[in-house]
Amino acid sequence: MTELQYKETVVFERPTALTPTQTTYCPGCTHGVAHRLIAEVIDEMGIRDDTIGVAPVGCAVFAYRFFDVDFVEAAHGRAPAMATGIKRSLPDRFVFTYQGDGDLVSIGMAEITHAAARGENITVIFINNANYGMTGGQMAPTTLPGQKTTSSPTGRDVELAGYPIQMAELIASIQGTSYVVRRSLHDARNIRQAKKAIRTAFEVQKRGLGFAMVELLSTCPTNWHLTPPDAMNWLKENMLPVYPLGDYKIHDAVKSAGI
Amino acid sequence: MPAKGKIVVNDFYCKACGLCVSVCPTQVIQLAPERLNVRGYHPAEQFQDGCIACATCAMVCPDAAITVYRLTPVAEQEA
Amino acid sequence: MTKELIKGNIAFAEAAIRAGLQAYFGYPITPQTEALEWMSGRMPELGRAFVQAESELGAINMVYGSACTGARTMTSSSSPGISLMQEGLSYIATSEVPVVVVNVMRGGPGLGNIAPAQSDYNQAVHGGGHGDYSPIVLAPANIQELIDITYESFDLAEKYRCIVMIAIDGSMGQMMEPAELPPFREIKKEHPAWAIVGAKGRKPNLICSLNIDEVEHEKVNLRLLARWNQIRKNEVRFKEYYLDDADFAVVGFGTAGRIALSAVRAAREKGIKVGLFRPVTLAPFPEKQIEALAARMKGLLVVEMNTGQMLDDVMRFGKDLSPVRFYGRPGGVIPLPEEILREIEALATETIPADIHPRDLWFDRLTAELGLTYEAA
Ligand SMILES: Cc1ncc(C[n+]2csc(CCOP(=O)(O)OP(=O)(O)O)c2C)c(N)n1
Ligand code: SF4
Ligand code: SF4
Ligand code: SF4
């Protein structure tokens, strides 16, 4: 029998909005997945030339190295303020922030809340990995009750250290917002849904419909001390009950735009 | 019959996290036992036939290292 | 153009608008708030960006973002608010984006009060935030000068890609004086090559204050210093009054300089040959001029609305050449012309002990006069 000849069709490839650079993320960290999804959306919408990213302080501090678009690097937590300044001066560009949970929920709580309240026409990608990754796994506002971190060695004691902040719910409660959802990056199906949400968040900005935030539950295998596949499982088992996935705010204008 | 496919892993990006290995429904990916990339990782590779081009591996890959191809027999196509 | 009666806070706000200001971000704080209020009406009316931020921290980071696009951007605040902005100012300085900041100083430290003061001198001239950097600091002493300096400050900031801080105090913010506003300038259409505007047709631009490689960051520090040396060479500004035939000189900036001028005139009427040297750039400091002045004078009197912050700079360049005396009122108290006149008279008649710091001598004089006693050091 002769060998069959095959035609190869690309089903999936690396998005061009990612630079040909190795990321600084630990093996298996889903920061990388979130980056890839944003890059895919930039490619699909053809907005590489008009997109401006705002990098956070956190493990994604070097995000600017990984995207082939103009970038600024904000101070810890101030990305939404910086994005506001950029967007107000360049209203026709796509401006997105990329922020961790220490950055967005702790030190940057005021900036994110007020950017949301003003309905800034920006896209916020919020990575919730239940700890401070970059500084070595300390407790974050998002750390789960009982979760051990390097600064809650016996587990987060809610009596002393309070409760996790559910950011999507909180931001969605602000009238100024247009699109606020929570998705997860723990398996392929959820990653596909996360991608759709990121696309919608950029489409909201494109149509001038206002503030959009996608909260992404993300892993930190290194500081969770788990293998990457186990970290995916840990997220599913432990984070989903505290951070239910869902659409927390979809403004009528977004619905009727049919995005 | 499921589609026929293949993947190509770009060694430059792969960090051998094993996520692709853990999710492949047909279990055709392994971390190359004998090979190291420039960073000292054993990169992922498709080690046997049976890929169905589902792109599940590429979807979870944090380093965008995987290209997925669908393979269509040329004869079949022409028919 | 004709002169109109105009309040300091409105004057600098409108001057900035006429200089082609494209974006303003601020937060209310007395005695600066009228500027923010003015901007809130004028900027939207002209189709320009205005945001009342959630805090000064928010405001300065909006300023940072906007300035990264190459847009002419400013903020204004008063002492406690400027303290809160220091984080952003350090990042802005490192990123080399041009920004104009007005500090309408009030009585400090702490919440202090809303009375005029000059106690942020050190914070301003030394940068204020972390790291090695130097902003240009300009201190006008009347409304016309405030207008002219504000109008020009954007060119300066853009020329050197640095922070220009205009340091006035609450009395100048609130004061009304006849002054002439400049003509409207066109809004810039072009973006500078370094700006963050979208990477159309080119590789991405990055504006960033991070350099994980310390050797690279050392180079950034040295580049900032090289530019600062240019500024020191080119931009020193000062005003001199009655100094040609003077034996004594008062040194004072801003409102203190302005009050000192009345005292100098009164002293001249009494036959004392005294003049006034008023630094306009607090940074770069008129070092050579102070040195030359001290060499010519029989004595210097430094007058400030603080406990002697500029005094240290005057001492650095003048103390070996001339005796120095100090008079200050901190915490929001404004020195009266009579007080300064008395000091000038003492300068002209008394010998200044060489071995005691002028601040210590002043402290003893002032506390005795106020009837205050403190534990001896
Ligand atoms: C003002 C300031 N405070 C503290 C830090 C130190 N710091 C750097 S990253 C970080 C935490 C980041 O955690 P998170 O936002 O959760 O992002 P992750 O690293 O987990 O992605 C902290 C506290 C800083 N850079 N600046
Ligand atoms: S420390 Fe955690 S969040 Fe940071 S890159 Fe590593 S795995 Fe990812
Ligand atoms: S998921 Fe990507 S990085 Fe991880 S082993 Fe597979 S190819 Fe390598
Ligand atoms: S495309 Fe699907 S079947 Fe093929 S290697 Fe990847 S996960 Fe396995």
Side-chain angles (χ1 to χ4, degrees):
Chain A
M1 210 174 82
T2 50
E3 280 261 347
L4 267 173
Q5 291 285 303
Y6 289 101
K7 180 174 169 287
E8 293 181 356
T9 325
V10 174
V11 177
F12 186 93
E13 64 186 336
R14 188 181 168 86
T16 62
L18 288 180
T19 54
T21 312
Q22 291 159 330
T23 70
T24 38
Y25 302 111
C26 306
C29 171
T30 47
H31 261 304
V33 175
H35 277 36
R36 199 194 72 226
L37 299 183
I38 295 167
E40 287 174 19
V41 167
I42 292 172
D43 279 3
E44 285 168 18
M45 292 176 69
I47 57 174
R48 179 263 178 203
D49 289 352
D50 300 314
T51 299
I52 297 169
V54 185
V57 174
C59 285
V61 72
F62 295 120
Y64 54 79
R65 292 184 185 168
F66 313 134
F67 290 97
D68 185 36
V69 302
D70 272 11
F71 245 91
V72 297
E73 164 63 49
H76 197 17
R78 319 285 174 242
M82 224 179 156
T84 298
I86 296 170
K87 187 73 183 185
R88 295 287 181 127
S89 282
L90 295 172
D92 61 349
R93 305 301 201 280
F94 291 87
V95 181
F96 76 97
T97 72
Y98 184 99
Q99 303 177 257
D101 42 14
D103 196 82
L104 184 139
V105 192
S106 197
I107 198 166
M109 186 58 127
E111 285 75 14
I112 189 65
T113 310
H114 287 272
R118 290 189 303 267
E120 292 297 339
N121 194 29
I122 60 172
T123 300
V124 173
I125 307 299
F126 162 40
I127 304 295
N128 177 356
N129 61 11
N131 74 40
Y132 284 23
M134 186 184 216
T135 39
Q138 295 78 22
M139 185 180 70
T142 45
T143 293
L144 307 179
Q147 184 184 340
K148 284 187 183 163
T149 70
T150 54
S151 60
S152 57
T154 55
R156 182 179 189 164
D157 177 353
V158 293
E159 292 296 325
L160 295 171
Y163 288 86
I165 297 178
Q166 276 104 348
M167 208 57 192
E169 289 86 328
L170 195 148
I171 293 295
S173 74
I174 297 171
Q175 204 178 346
T177 58
S178 295
Y179 182 73
V180 182
V181 302
R182 182 182 291 119
R183 299 289 186 266
S184 177
L185 302 175
H186 71 275
D187 63 24
R189 189 178 63 85
N190 278 282
I191 290 168
R192 285 199 171 88
Q193 281 166 3
K195 156 98 175 280
K196 269 194 204 141
I198 294 170
R199 173 75 190 249
T200 307
F202 274 89
E203 293 286 352
V204 166
Q205 185 173 169
K206 183 177 179 177
R207 289 164 175 73
L209 294 177
F211 184 90
M213 182 178 94
V214 180
E215 174 173 344
L216 297 172
L217 303 184
S218 187
T219 62
C220 178
T222 301
N223 291 307
W224 294 355
H225 306 291
L226 295 170
T227 65
D230 287 349
M232 295 296 223
N233 256 325
W234 190 90
L235 186 165
K236 183 176 162 202
E237 305 283 317
N238 298 282
M239 286 181 77
L240 290 186
V242 180
Y243 299 110
L245 306 185
D247 300 342
Y248 288 93
K249 173 79 173 279
I250 300 186
H251 195 281
D252 286 344
V254 175
K255 282 183 202 149
S256 57
I259 353 176
Chain B
M1 201 177 86
K4 193 171 164 57
K6 73 163 192 186
I7 64 162
V8 174
V9 176
N10 187 327
D11 283 3
F12 176 72
Y13 299 116
C14 176
K15 292 180 189 149
C17 71
L19 283 173
C20 54
V21 177
S22 75
V23 298
C24 174
T26 56
Q27 308 218 318
V28 298
I29 316 177
Q30 66 175 5
L31 300 182
E34 308 287 345
R35 219 152 45 77
L36 289 176
N37 69 7
V38 283
R39 287 214 215 172
Y41 292 122
H42 292 279
E45 63 182 14
Q46 184 185 342
F47 70 100
Q48 61 183 20
D49 281 348
C51 171
I52 54 171
C54 66
T56 306
C57 55
M59 203 51 57
V60 299
C61 176
D63 288 279
I66 304 176
T67 309
V68 183
Y69 299 91
R70 174 169 290 118
L71 302 180
T72 359
V74 173
E76 205 176 274
Q77 269 236 317
E78 281 163 359
Chain C
M1 285 263 174
T2 48
K3 289 198 174 187
E4 51 185 303
L5 209 55
I6 182 163
K7 194 179 207 178
N9 282 335
I10 312 289
F12 77 72
E14 184 61 25
I17 288 171
R18 294 179 181 217
L21 182 71
Q22 290 163 279
Y24 175 94
F25 307 92
Y27 188 82
I29 182 168
T30 312
Q32 162 275 163
T33 306
E34 291 96 342
L36 171 110
E37 289 171 347
W38 186 260
M39 293 300 193
S40 73
R42 289 286 280 149
M43 293 296 278
E45 170 183 300
L46 294 164
R48 308 182 190 179
F50 167 89
V51 177
Q52 178 176 326
E54 58 274 15
S55 67
E56 287 86 352
L57 208 43
I60 196 66
N61 284 286
M62 292 174 194
V63 164
Y64 187 14
S66 171
C68 285
T69 71
R72 289 202 150 175
T73 307
M74 88 182 286
T75 185
S76 55
S77 186
S78 176
S79 311
I82 297 288
S83 285
L84 204 52
M85 288 184 184
Q86 293 304 333
E87 177 195 72
L89 289 172
S90 169
Y91 283 65
I92 288 168
T94 320
S95 308
E96 302 169 68
V97 292
V99 155
V100 174
V101 180
V102 182
N103 182 1
V104 187
M105 292 183 274
R106 62 186 238 184
L111 197 49
N113 52 46
I114 56 173
Q118 299 183 323
S119 40
D120 305 345
Y121 176 94
N122 277 338
Q123 184 193 53
V125 304
H126 297 300
H130 59 285
D132 281 289
Y133 70 95
S134 305
I136 296 176
V137 183
L138 293 153
N142 58 63
I143 305 299
Q144 188 63 57
E145 197 180 16
L146 172 61
I147 289 171
D148 297 344
I149 278 178
T150 308
Y151 198 61
E152 199 203 334
S153 61
F154 295 93
D155 299 328
L156 263 183
E158 282 163 15
K159 178 171 177 196
Y160 297 105
R161 293 182 58 182
C162 71
I163 298 165
V164 173
M165 178 172 282
I166 300 170
I168 59 172
D169 62 74
S171 67
M172 218 189 304
Q174 302 297 322
M175 174 197 325
M176 292 188 76
E177 241 174 23
E180 190 178 312
L181 283 162
F184 273 86
R185 284 209 203 143
E186 293 249 332
I187 291 278
K188 288 188 304 167
K189 297 260 157 30
E190 306 263 286
H191 299 283
W194 50 260
I196 296 296
V197 293
K200 191 168 190 169
R202 59 163 167 77
K203 283 200 179 129
N205 280 349
L206 168 67
I207 292 183
C208 181
S209 65
L210 170 74
N211 266 303
I212 214 72
D213 178 351
E214 62 273 18
V215 176
E216 284 308 307
H217 210 53
E218 182 181 53
K219 288 182 197 158
V220 172
N221 274 262
L222 296 175
R223 185 167 69 235
L224 292 177
L225 182 57
R227 192 160 318 137
W228 179 243
N229 287 334
Q230 289 277 310
I231 294 169
R232 285 176 56 204
K233 200 169 119 226
N234 302 337
E235 304 300 342
V236 170
R237 290 161 203 212
F238 54 90
K239 289 266 161 68
E240 295 180 317
Y241 308 81
Y242 307 110
L243 281 174
D244 285 348
D245 66 340
D247 294 328
F248 301 96
V250 181
V251 183
F253 68 92
T255 295
R258 180 191 173 108
I259 300 168
L261 186 56
S262 323
V264 163
R265 289 196 177 114
R268 282 262 164 191
E269 276 173 24
K270 294 189 165 200
I272 304 173
K273 285 190 169 177
V274 61
L276 171 70
F277 182 91
R278 178 162 69 78
V280 174
T281 48
L282 305 183
F285 190 68
E287 305 170 356
K288 289 202 183 72
Q289 290 75 9
I290 289 289
E291 210 176 300
L293 185 73
R296 266 173 35 198
M297 296 295 144
K298 294 184 187 156
L300 299 180
L301 169 67
V302 177
V303 178
E304 296 181 77
M305 285 148 64
N306 58 43
T307 59
Q309 299 190 15
M310 184 180 67
L311 171 67
D312 290 331
D313 284 332
V314 174
M315 297 281 285
R316 247 180 337 137
F317 301 102
K319 84 165 185 325
D320 296 334
L321 302 165
S322 165
V324 179
R325 193 179 166 98
F326 174 67
Y327 190 71
R329 296 304 301 263
V333 178
I334 305 180
L336 301 172
E338 301 85 85
E339 295 171 53
I340 301 175
L341 176 59
R342 221 170 45 218
E343 288 290 320
I344 295 173
E345 286 171 335
L347 177 73
T349 51
E350 294 171 15
T351 328
I352 298 178
D355 52 343
I356 311 178
H357 196 282
R359 185 186 289 109
D360 295 337
L361 292 166
W362 157 77
F363 180 82
D364 291 344
R365 289 199 313 274
L366 184 70
T367 50
E369 195 175 305
L370 297 175
L372 301 170
T373 46
Y374 297 95
E375 250 175 79

